[in-house]
Amino acid sequence: MNKNELVNNISEKSGLTKKDVELVVNELLDQITEALKKDEKVQFVGFGTFETRERSSRTGRNPQTGETITIPASTVPAFRAGNKLKEAVK
């Protein structure tokens, strides 16, 4: 499912216009992004938690040349599923 399909499904089930639903979905994603930029967690009880994790630097290889390179440390977004979501997917 992509974002347009999600907007269409929510619009059909809620009776709201696609424009209103798209506005809410976009704002939700923007708020999650802003919180993660500030290194804050976003938790939806039962669904899951969006958070950031630190990746340490490591060595790798350039696949074209085979040369050893150092991959720098970075901060990456992560999602940890909640219990209700895990049970629903089983």
Side-chain angles (χ1 to χ4, degrees):
M1 176 183 299
N2 62 33
K3 189 165 92 172
N4 286 334
E5 292 169 340
L6 177 65
V7 168
N8 289 337
N9 290 346
I10 294 172
S11 177
E12 288 173 9
K13 288 186 179 185
S14 69
L16 298 172
T17 65
K18 289 180 185 179
K19 185 177 180 180
D20 289 341
V21 173
E22 186 173 11
L23 181 67
V24 171
V25 169
N26 287 336
E27 189 59 33
L28 173 70
L29 297 175
D30 289 345
Q31 290 299 315
I32 291 171
T33 302
E34 288 301 316
L36 293 177
K37 282 182 183 179
K38 296 176 187 175
D39 201 29
E40 297 173 353
K41 289 183 181 181
V42 179
Q43 183 175 11
F44 297 103
V45 176
F47 181 75
T49 303
F50 294 91
E51 59 190 356
T52 57
R53 294 186 183 147
E54 298 295 323
R55 258 196 203 154
S56 58
S57 62
R58 58 198 188 277
T59 58
R61 291 202 181 274
N62 181 331
Q64 293 178 339
T65 64
E67 176 186 357
T68 301
I69 58 172
T70 300
I71 301 170
S74 62
T75 302
V76 296
F79 177 76
R80 189 176 37 183
N83 289 335
K84 288 182 183 176
L85 179 60
K86 288 178 186 177
E87 288 297 318
V89 173
K90 279 188 177 180

